[in-house]
Amino acid sequence: KATHCSLGSLDADSIDESMWKVFSSLCDVIGVVIIGDAGTESDTLLGRENAAVRLLEAAVLSVNKAQTSFNSGGDARGALVCQLLPNCIVPIYTMIETTARLFSLFGWGKRKRLTKAAAGALASLALSFRSLVSDLLQAMTTHRRVEYGVSNETSLVGEDGINRVANEFNQSREMTKDRVDPFLDQMRIDLTSYEEEE
């Protein structure tokens, strides 16, 4: 049984579960396209494409659910982005790109999104995922806007101690701009390629 993890009003477990479903669906897509119903007469390329489309449509729903959960959260969203990036976002992005390369081998490349069902379904997933990545970027910008400083509760540590901690905290947040944002921004830009037409 999974343990419940909540960051403020943000249900991180719900987001993790949705992201896991996306990753799992992409793994299943790769398997069904490569293997299909191997060894049976009912195994056709059209059957493999239809199965892939169903799995990709389910993945879009999971991305949308994760995005809704993420956007309903409060102040802890910046911290969650830093957790989601290596655990979920980068692996899913990599799987989307891997699936796109596989689809190209079957004639379902990115630019065929309007004529091939599988390419259209993958484009829909990629663009939904891009929307989530954009929201993550926005959350990081918002996260860095909040500044911490001295409050009235300085009696135990002193004003200088509180100021040093607040400055370190604020500098740490700025460092995420160099470490997190470039990855998210590059993914967002790359996922735009799924909008291109034939």
Side-chain angles (χ1 to χ4, degrees), residues 126-178:
L127 296 175
S128 293
F129 191 67
R130 181 186 69 178
S131 179
L132 172 62
V133 168
S134 294
D135 287 353
L136 299 178
L137 268 167
Q138 182 58 42
M140 290 306 294
T141 301
T142 303
H143 178 67
R144 283 189 292 274
R145 277 193 211 134
V146 178
E147 295 259 341
Y148 291 92
V150 177
S151 69
N152 294 331
E153 302 298 323
T154 60
S155 60
L156 293 176
V157 180
E159 189 173 324
D160 287 341
I162 297 287
N163 275 330
R164 278 196 311 270
V165 170
N167 286 336
E168 289 291 325
F169 188 75
N170 291 329
Q171 287 174 358
S172 173
R173 281 184 159 185
E174 275 304 309
M175 287 165 51
T176 64
K177 186 176 188 176
D178 297 331

Side-chain angles (χ1 to χ4, degrees), residues 12-13 18 28 30 45 64 66 72 95 124 134 181 186 192 194:
D13 284 346
S18 295
D28 289 343
I30 290 171
L45 191 56
N64 293 342
S72 68
M95 288 298 289
S124 180
S134 294
D181 290 16
Q186 188 61 51
T192 302
Y194 288 88

Side-chain angles (χ1 to χ4, degrees), residues 4-190:
H4 178 72
C5 175
S6 181
L7 296 170
S9 62
L10 194 59
D11 186 0
D13 284 346
S14 173
I15 296 169
D16 281 343
E17 181 182 341
S18 295
M19 293 287 89
W20 171 250
K21 287 179 180 178
V22 174
F23 189 81
S24 179
S25 290
L26 285 165
C27 290
D28 289 343
V29 166
I30 290 171
V32 80
V33 170
I34 292 173
I35 298 169
D37 290 328
T40 67
E41 289 183 23
S42 64
D43 183 29
T44 64
L45 191 56
L46 180 60
R48 291 179 186 197
E49 183 179 17
N50 291 336
V53 167
R54 284 190 300 276
L55 290 163
L56 290 168
E57 288 170 346
V60 169
L61 295 175
S62 294
V63 168
N64 293 342
K65 181 179 178 186
Q67 186 173 15
T68 300
S69 295
F70 180 78
N71 287 331
S72 68
D75 297 335
R77 292 184 331 148
L80 183 60
V81 172
C82 294
Q83 294 170 358
L84 289 174
L85 183 64
N87 295 340
C88 303
I89 303 302
V90 170
I92 290 172
Y93 170 77
T94 303
M95 288 298 289
I96 289 172
E97 291 299 307
T98 300
T99 303
R101 284 191 292 282
L102 175 64
F103 278 17
S104 290
L105 295 175
F106 283 83
W108 310 330
K110 291 179 186 181
R111 294 189 175 163
K112 300 216 175 173
R113 69 180 179 89
L114 300 177
T115 59
K116 298 289 184 181
L122 183 60
S124 180
L125 173 61
L127 296 175
S128 293
F129 191 67
R130 181 186 69 178
S131 179
L132 172 62
V133 168
S134 294
D135 287 353
L136 299 178
L137 268 167
Q138 182 58 42
M140 290 306 294
T141 301
T142 303
H143 178 67
R144 283 189 292 274
R145 277 193 211 134
V146 178
E147 295 259 341
Y148 291 92
V150 177
S151 69
N152 294 331
E153 302 298 323
T154 60
S155 60
L156 293 176
V157 180
E159 189 173 324
D160 287 341
I162 297 287
N163 275 330
R164 278 196 311 270
V165 170
N167 286 336
E168 289 291 325
F169 188 75
N170 291 329
Q171 287 174 358
S172 173
R173 281 184 159 185
E174 275 304 309
M175 287 165 51
T176 64
K177 186 176 188 176
D178 297 331
R179 295 180 178 158
V180 174
D181 290 16
F183 287 101
L184 293 172
D185 197 42
Q186 188 61 51
M187 282 184 247
R188 185 182 53 78
I189 291 167
D190 291 349

